[in-house]
Amino acid sequence: MPSVHALLSLVLAASAAAHQQPVAINVPVVKTIELLLAEEDTDHDGLITAADCADRRFALRGSDGTALLVEGTYPLGNLLQELGSAQRAGAAEMQISPANLFIGPGAHVSMMIRERYWDWLTRTVDAAGLEKIVADSKAATRNPRVYVPHDDGSALEYYNAAAKANAALRLEVNSLPNPITPAFVRTLNDKPGILALALQRDASGATRGVPFVVPGGRFNEMYGWDSYFISLGLLADNRVDLARSMVDNFVYQIEHYGKILNANRTYYLTRSQPPFLTSMALAVYDKLPRDKESTDWLQRAIRAAVREYETVWTAEPHLTATGLSRYCGSGVGLPPEVEPGHFDPIIRPLARQSGLSIEEFSTRYQAGTLKSPELDALLLHDRAMRESGHDTSYRLIGRAADLNTVALNALLYKYEVDIKNVIERQWGGTLDLGDGASTAAATWQRRAAERKARMMDLMWDEERSLFFDYDYAHSQRLTDISTTTLYPLWAGMLDEEHSRRLAHAALEKLEMPGGIVAGTEESRGALGADRPPRQWDYPFGWAPHQMIAWQALKNAGMEQDAQRLAYRWVYMVAMNAARSNGAIVEKYDVVTRGIDSSAEYGNVGSRFRLVPEGGFGWTNASYQVGWSMLNADDKDHVDRLIPPEWVFDASTEK
């Protein structure tokens, strides 16, 4: 290997010959990957990270014999990502540009998301995309399956033809019954599959699946509330058509499955997720041309939202005697999508009492040959918690179905206000729902006022200036402090005084070095052998909570606080990506600003080789939205990895 000085001489000579312009170099992809990993990947994980004990100097050799030095964990990680991206695209040779190796970490993360990750995470349920979308690491199955709604005959015909045309895939096509009952869904546990979504005709007249973005990692399907936050990232990157198609798929789900699904797999058929459809549709509509086609599109989306509101969230079993709603996914048996052993701690004592092993108890319970009212009750709360999206958290474990949560009711308040406003603005106060039915803006205004009054009465703590979930089954307000306390502020429910009080109280309890934490350490409680960490509790922070908090603070007129929180989050993501071969993960320890996590599923997005497999959907989105909030100076500070403590004067903090 040439000496460092010799390599530097080559660099200087090449630069001089190019009139001081940085040079680019053509390299063989596979050979360079092999050499790079052999020299720099000392822990043999297929990555170049701060954990590798190498000299962090690599002679990058071009196909023409040129040699350039790359040194340092961050540029070497970028080099591996460039090579991995080229290998993914099937390239034998590629040009390496200094623009992609020595770009600032903040800008590099944004570039990877914008130019690569959205496309890598995009899926379709059609002939072209079936092989990729049917893959499911959460459920072992011999043959891939697609399930089609009972009332979509054209889709059934299409998928049967697609299966016949690609016999090697061994795709099974099935039509779902009507109605879909929890008992029926349990029969699918041994034959899970993907659920069909919307189809469309392209410009050539061919049938194509309406595309959507998946979270990534083990989550290779379209998720409920993830998709709203992902759409915000898509809109930040001007991917309007893709964000619009996400709405179209949700409308299809409401029209054909009766709800927005937790996700489009068979084991999610009996539950939904936090409702964001009106916010999602209106955010997309703001980017569309003001013409009849766009207005018709919006009308269909709002009609679907009205149906979802009236038949899902304000109907049994979600509506409670308080007039407020709860999460309450239906189902029978243990959720089949969880990791092995997840329920062992609660099954163990029940199995012991029955004189059975955990495995035998679980098998018999799943088959319905063993009855356990105690486990039934625990699983009712578990399904409610999973429908909330906050799975899992000690705030919800063992009581989720008994709660009127702040989050859900603030979201429904937002539905009521959004629907009222859009009906007034677009349709003169009355929306035609089809089939002779209509709904008036005044109805939604009354509903919003009634919900706000109930929430202020049951959930608002005047002394602490925070919102808390209400246990309607036991007529008591909880005391757990969660980021969800900010949802009413995000929804625009509060006057100026209450907005400021809530914002300041929440920041005092929840702001951490890396952003907003999911809940306080005091609310989580002590951990131990029988009380392991839960991923939606302290010390973890999640992308949707950051975006909710930023908008909530903006609604309170606290723009500087929102920008500070955005900087905390963006800096943390970029700093970890620079040290970890570009990793973008589902959750962060916002107290230590780290990504190492053994809580529950580990940390989706941290396990890959060469280049991240698309990052993680809503983390990508939060980064793009947060990056867009920063001014030029702060973007430069992130690129230089200057921690927020050095950027924001202590006197301006909180």
Side-chain angles (χ1 to χ4, degrees):
M1 173 178 176
S3 69
V4 171
H5 292 295
L7 287 170
L8 288 175
S9 297
L10 287 170
V11 173
L12 292 173
S15 294
H19 306 290
Q20 304 302 316
Q21 294 299 312
V23 299
I25 182 171
N26 292 316
V27 301
V29 173
V30 174
K31 181 179 179 181
T32 305
I33 289 174
E34 292 173 349
L35 291 172
L36 181 58
L37 291 178
E39 291 186 24
E40 301 296 331
D41 178 24
T42 62
D43 58 7
H44 309 296
D45 61 356
L47 306 173
I48 297 175
T49 70
D52 288 307
C53 300
D55 64 2
R56 296 181 173 85
R57 292 181 175 183
F58 179 72
L60 181 63
R61 297 184 176 278
S63 303
D64 60 357
T66 302
L68 295 174
L69 182 67
V70 182
E71 55 183 337
T73 298
Y74 170 63
L76 286 170
N78 287 352
L79 173 60
L80 188 58
Q81 291 173 63
E82 290 299 298
L83 293 164
S85 298
Q87 185 181 56
R88 180 188 178 102
E93 186 174 278
M94 73 170 299
Q95 184 179 80
I96 298 291
S97 166
N100 287 345
L101 296 192
F102 306 108
I103 182 176
H108 184 257
V109 171
S110 183
M111 180 272 292
M112 292 293 285
I113 294 169
R114 181 180 61 255
E115 297 184 7
R116 298 176 187 175
Y117 293 169
W118 292 136
D119 290 331
W120 291 1
L121 293 176
T122 297
R123 304 284 187 272
T124 53
V125 189
D126 61 11
L130 278 169
E131 188 166 355
K132 184 180 291 187
I133 192 61
V134 294
D136 184 10
S137 63
K138 298 185 299 304
T141 182
R142 181 172 299 175
N143 292 338
R145 301 176 184 88
V146 61
Y147 289 84
V148 184
H150 76 281
D151 56 354
D152 195 349
S154 60
L156 183 64
E157 182 179 347
Y158 170 82
Y159 290 113
N160 278 322
K164 185 176 181 180
N166 186 3
L169 184 58
R170 296 187 299 175
L171 179 71
E172 296 179 13
V173 180
N174 302 278
S175 181
L176 291 167
N178 183 36
I180 297 171
T181 65
F184 168 75
V185 174
R186 180 170 63 177
T187 68
L188 301 181
N189 287 349
D190 295 330
K191 42 186 177 181
I194 196 74
L195 300 175
L197 294 180
L199 298 170
Q200 62 185 354
R201 296 279 186 178
D202 65 16
S204 70
T207 298
R208 298 280 185 264
V210 174
F212 54 93
V213 176
V214 302
R218 67 193 296 266
F219 304 112
N220 186 38
E221 49 274 321
M222 183 180 185
Y223 278 80
W225 70 319
D226 294 64
S227 294
Y228 166 64
F229 297 100
I230 288 171
S231 73
L232 296 182
L234 293 172
L235 292 174
D237 284 336
N238 202 34
R239 300 291 298 271
V240 179
D241 287 348
L242 188 50
R244 172 175 169 161
S245 74
M246 303 275 277
V247 175
D248 291 339
N249 276 312
F250 276 165
V251 171
Y252 179 90
Q253 289 182 29
I254 292 170
E255 292 176 347
H256 294 279
Y257 297 106
K259 64 172 84 65
I260 290 176
L261 301 166
N262 185 151
N264 64 315
R265 298 277 180 192
T266 50
Y267 42 79
Y268 293 133
L269 273 166
T270 58
R271 65 177 185 259
S272 187
Q273 273 201 325
F276 283 94
L277 180 56
T278 61
S279 297
M280 191 173 173
L282 290 170
V284 172
Y285 181 71
D286 282 345
K287 302 288 187 178
L288 298 180
R290 290 299 179 263
D291 55 23
K292 185 178 184 304
E293 192 273 336
S294 297
T295 302
D296 289 345
W297 176 86
L298 179 63
Q299 183 183 54
R300 185 183 175 202
I302 298 301
R303 283 176 171 177
V306 169
R307 175 177 171 181
E308 179 198 22
Y309 174 95
E310 294 182 341
T311 64
V312 178
W313 299 112
T314 59
E316 291 187 356
H318 293 93
L319 184 65
T320 71
T322 61
L324 298 175
S325 296
R326 64 171 178 165
Y327 290 111
C328 191
S330 61
V332 178
L334 299 166
E337 77 276 9
V338 301
E339 77 279 18
H342 179 87
F343 290 104
D344 284 1
I346 64 174
I347 293 176
R348 184 175 292 109
L350 300 174
R352 189 180 299 120
Q353 293 170 14
S354 302
L356 302 172
S357 67
I358 291 176
E359 293 75 15
E360 186 176 2
F361 184 98
S362 300
T363 299
R364 291 175 60 181
Y365 181 79
Q366 284 294 80
T369 59
L370 183 151
K371 304 299 181 183
S372 175
E374 185 175 355
L375 186 53
D376 289 345
L378 290 170
L379 291 177
L380 173 67
H381 295 303
D382 182 83
R383 286 189 291 270
M385 177 171 58
R386 294 180 188 282
E387 189 168 69
S388 80
H390 293 87
D391 49 325
T392 64
S393 165
Y394 285 116
R395 176 174 63 94
L396 301 172
I397 289 174
R399 62 185 181 186
D402 289 344
L403 303 181
N404 296 139
T405 62
V406 174
L408 176 57
N409 286 282
L411 292 172
L412 294 177
Y413 173 86
K414 181 72 158 50
Y415 262 46
E416 290 156 352
V417 171
D418 284 346
I419 294 171
K420 173 256 183 186
N421 288 339
V422 75
I423 290 176
E424 285 184 340
R425 184 172 63 247
Q426 296 290 343
W427 300 293
T430 303
L431 171 63
D432 176 13
L433 297 174
D435 298 326
S438 64
T439 189
T443 299
W444 296 92
Q445 183 173 23
R446 173 181 54 78
R447 289 171 172 171
E450 290 174 351
R451 187 177 303 276
K452 176 181 176 179
R454 293 188 185 105
M455 290 181 69
M456 295 301 294
D457 179 46
L458 298 176
M459 299 175 170
W460 173 252
D461 188 311
E462 180 66 19
E463 182 177 348
R464 304 181 73 179
S465 298
L466 294 169
F467 282 93
F468 296 93
D469 297 330
Y470 182 74
D471 185 337
Y472 74 90
H474 300 91
S475 301
Q476 62 181 7
R477 184 188 300 150
L478 302 187
T479 59
D480 304 74
I481 299 175
S482 164
T483 300
T484 57
T485 195
L486 287 168
Y487 275 56
L489 181 52
W490 168 86
M493 196 176 85
L494 306 177
D495 59 28
E496 183 177 352
E497 177 197 351
H498 286 89
S499 294
R500 289 278 178 162
R501 288 173 58 191
L502 173 59
H504 286 294
L507 287 176
E508 181 181 357
K509 295 291 186 180
L510 298 168
E511 183 173 357
M512 298 293 161
I516 289 289
V517 71
T520 64
E521 185 175 17
E522 179 185 11
S523 296
R524 180 203 66 188
L527 301 176
D530 295 325
R531 204 169 187 272
R534 299 297 181 181
Q535 61 181 5
W536 284 93
D537 289 336
Y538 181 95
F540 301 114
W542 289 75
H545 285 174
Q546 313 309 311
M547 288 187 270
I548 289 286
W550 301 340
Q551 187 58 54
L553 291 172
K554 289 180 181 181
N555 289 349
M558 299 168 63
E559 294 277 351
Q560 290 185 338
D561 297 88
Q563 186 172 352
R564 182 183 69 249
L565 286 183
Y567 187 98
R568 289 190 183 281
W569 182 259
V570 167
Y571 163 79
M572 178 181 61
V573 174
M575 178 266 292
N576 279 286
R579 296 177 179 178
S580 305
N581 209 127
I584 299 175
V585 298
E586 65 169 350
K587 58 180 175 284
Y588 291 79
D589 181 332
V590 293
V591 178
T592 65
R593 293 195 289 234
I595 62 174
D596 294 331
S597 171
S598 59
E600 302 186 272
Y601 309 100
N603 212 349
V604 179
S606 62
R607 299 174 184 172
F608 57 91
R609 287 181 59 84
L610 308 185
V611 61
E613 296 293 323
F616 196 80
W618 61 18
T619 309
N620 296 348
S622 68
Y623 191 89
Q624 297 302 76
V625 172
W627 183 252
S628 73
M629 290 171 58
L630 302 183
N631 58 39
D633 287 341
D634 283 344
K635 288 180 178 178
D636 179 65
H637 295 152
V638 173
D639 275 335
R640 290 188 283 153
L641 294 183
I642 301 177
E645 300 80 44
W646 293 70
V647 175
F648 297 94
D649 185 81
S651 64
T652 67
E653 298 269 302
K654 293 185 265 189

